[in-house]
Structures are given as C-alpha cells and as structure tokens.
Amino acid sequence: MPEMRLDKFLSGQLPKISRTGAKELLKKGLVTVDGVIVKKYDYKLDPEKSVVAVSGERVTYREHLYIMLNKPAGVVCAVRDKITPTVMELLPEELRRQGLFPAGRLDKDSVGFVLLTDDGELAHRMLSPVSHVPKKYFVRLEKPVSDSVCELFASGMTIDGGEKCLPAELEILSPKECFVTLHEGKFHQIKRMFEAAGNSVIYLKRIQIGGAILDEELDEGKARLLEENEIKSLISCKQIF
Ligand code: URA
C-alpha cells in the first residue's frame, strides 16, 4: 500500500474531521502511530499496516465504506434533495463520509436494501447494464397473481412504451404476495411489469442485492457496514433462486 500522510489518513477515516481538525488533534498529542505519539501532520504511514489511535481509540482503516441501509418509505435515493429527505440523512454520524452515494435506486415509496458506498468502481460494475447483478424483491399486490404471470415475466415481457425487459423470476408465496428477481433496473420496473399484467403493486421491498441479503435485524431507517463476505457477494452471486 502506498504511503499516506497522517493528516490525510485522519480526515479520511474520522467522520467530521477536516485536515485542519486532524492537525489540531496532532498538535494536542492525542494521536499515536504504533503506540508512539506523533505530532507531525505530514508523517507518512502505511494505512493498512500502521496502528493509529486517537485518545487511545483505534482508528480502523477502510479505503471504502459499504453500507447496508434499510430504507423506509418517504425518503429518496439521492445524495441531496431540496424537498424530500434523502437516504444520506438517515446515516448515523459514524457512518458519514465524503463521497458516499446510493449505488442504485429504490422508488420513494419502496422500502428495503439500499447500498451506500464511496467505491465508484464497484458501483459501476454492479450497475452496468451488462453485469445483470440480480436484485430480489418482496411484492404485495392488489389482486391475486396467477401462474401465467410467472411465464410472462420469464419470457422477457414488453412494458409500456415498448420497453423490452430481460427475463425475470417470479415466485408466488400466497395469492397476493410474491418474490420477484430482476437482472436490470428500469425505472419503476416491477410496478410497470405488474401494471402490464393487469395488476398493481401496493408494497415493494428489496431484500437482496447479488448474494447479499437484507439483515432482518436491521430496522427500517437503520444502517450498518457490510461484512467482508457480504461485500464480495454483492457481485459474485448471479443466481439466487
Ligand atoms: N421496481 C419498482 O417499480 N420500484 C422500485 O423501487 C424497484 C423496482
């Protein structure tokens, strides 16, 4: 790992600490590197190997953040919005960092798994139209759904405006409840697919992205960091049924 300046390390890893703030911490003698107090702001360290602590508390180095948010209804998947609250505003202080954005969108009234990250490369690989990372949703419908809709979805249906969809999997759970797995992300796609099939979506929750499953313990509006294996499974899993 290339060397990094200590003030850059601190401002990048600590929420709400600017370069100036980092220099203050250093000046006050609150920062140790490998157990030794360091006051030089341009001290060079290996971020992956050096053990940095502030006031005795270890600062774990993370090049990027990968956050699972259980989005509630009424917030939008955007970095900022003049009118509506955004997913970013739900993040607790310790998970905030410059450059975070929602990798993929859910509608304002949809709920469930939203990935927030500052890793543009991973987001690009996940969202690219050629990657087809599966996304699984729990859907509640206005009217009972029939087996023929499974075939329709599997065939790659055409929705309003003549847009052709990739084959999608539909698993019926009860007359008005099902799972749907998409391999792409067109605007309002599931709602439009059911409208085209003569039905209406009344509740939509994303429960899985790639192989990463929404944590059932995570209440709506709450967020946590993804585990290492969950980060890997975001892209690697192609088949989830
Ligand atoms: N399909 C929709 O219609 N809405 C979403 O939020 C996600 C998928």
Side-chain angles (χ1 to χ4, degrees):
M1 187 81 190
E3 291 195 325
M4 187 186 278
R5 271 170 56 148
L6 185 51
D7 60 344
K8 182 170 182 214
F9 175 97
L10 292 169
S11 60
Q13 300 300 309
L14 298 170
K16 283 209 144 176
I17 295 288
S18 60
R19 284 273 183 116
T20 316
K23 284 182 183 135
E24 309 252 300
L25 294 175
L26 289 158
K27 229 192 287 173
K28 287 184 189 154
L30 296 175
V31 182
T32 55
V33 179
D34 299 326
V36 178
I37 292 176
V38 178
K39 293 192 172 183
K40 271 176 65 180
Y41 63 84
D42 57 353
Y43 179 90
K44 298 273 192 338
L45 74 160
D46 179 338
E48 305 232 297
K49 293 204 181 119
S50 307
V51 177
V52 180
V54 176
S55 303
E57 285 220 16
R58 173 93 194 257
V59 182
T60 310
Y61 178 69
R62 289 196 175 87
E63 185 181 5
H64 293 297
L65 292 188
Y66 305 91
I67 298 166
M68 174 189 287
L69 170 77
N70 189 358
K71 177 192 165 316
V75 299
V76 290
C77 285
V79 174
R80 59 188 73 82
D81 191 281
K82 286 206 176 94
I83 301 159
T84 318
T86 72
V87 286
M88 310 307 291
E89 292 163 44
L90 296 170
L91 288 181
E93 200 63 64
E94 69 275 11
L95 292 182
R96 293 190 180 196
R97 188 191 267 196
Q98 280 289 327
L100 281 176
F101 61 92
R105 281 164 191 268
L106 277 181
D107 296 339
K108 184 175 162 188
D109 59 349
S110 300
V111 300
F113 191 172
V114 173
L115 173 73
L116 300 168
T117 185
D118 55 354
D119 184 345
E121 201 188 307
L122 176 119
H124 175 74
R125 280 197 286 144
M126 266 183 57
L127 302 174
S128 147
V130 293
S131 69
H132 308 313
V133 170
K135 298 192 186 78
K136 187 172 178 178
Y137 300 81
F138 170 78
V139 188
R140 199 166 287 131
L141 296 157
E142 192 182 62
K143 294 182 254 176
V145 60
S146 64
D147 285 339
S148 63
V149 182
C150 296
E151 283 152 41
L152 186 63
F153 278 25
S155 69
M157 64 189 295
T158 302
I159 47 179
D160 57 313
E163 259 185 283
K164 178 95 176 125
C165 297
L166 287 174
E169 292 91 49
L170 171 63
E171 191 187 331
I172 297 174
L173 302 169
S174 72
K176 294 183 186 176
E177 288 178 333
C178 57
F179 289 136
V180 173
T181 299
L182 297 181
H183 301 265
E184 58 185 341
K186 296 188 195 303
F187 183 64
H188 294 335
Q189 185 164 346
I190 294 182
K191 291 174 187 159
R192 290 161 70 208
M193 285 167 76
F194 278 107
E195 289 294 332
N199 209 330
S200 283
V201 171
I202 56 173
Y203 177 83
L204 185 58
K205 176 176 188 172
R206 183 153 67 203
I207 55 170
Q208 189 164 345
I209 300 176
I213 297 169
L214 177 66
D215 186 343
E216 283 179 9
E217 308 275 290
L218 203 62
D219 291 336
E220 274 191 16
K222 296 288 181 222
R224 69 154 170 85
L225 288 174
L226 287 189
E227 313 275 343
E228 207 51 50
N229 62 325
E230 291 175 319
I231 298 168
K232 288 201 185 99
S233 71
L234 280 171
I235 292 218
S236 58
C237 167
K238 296 268 178 209
Q239 195 55 53
I240 52 180
F241 278 144

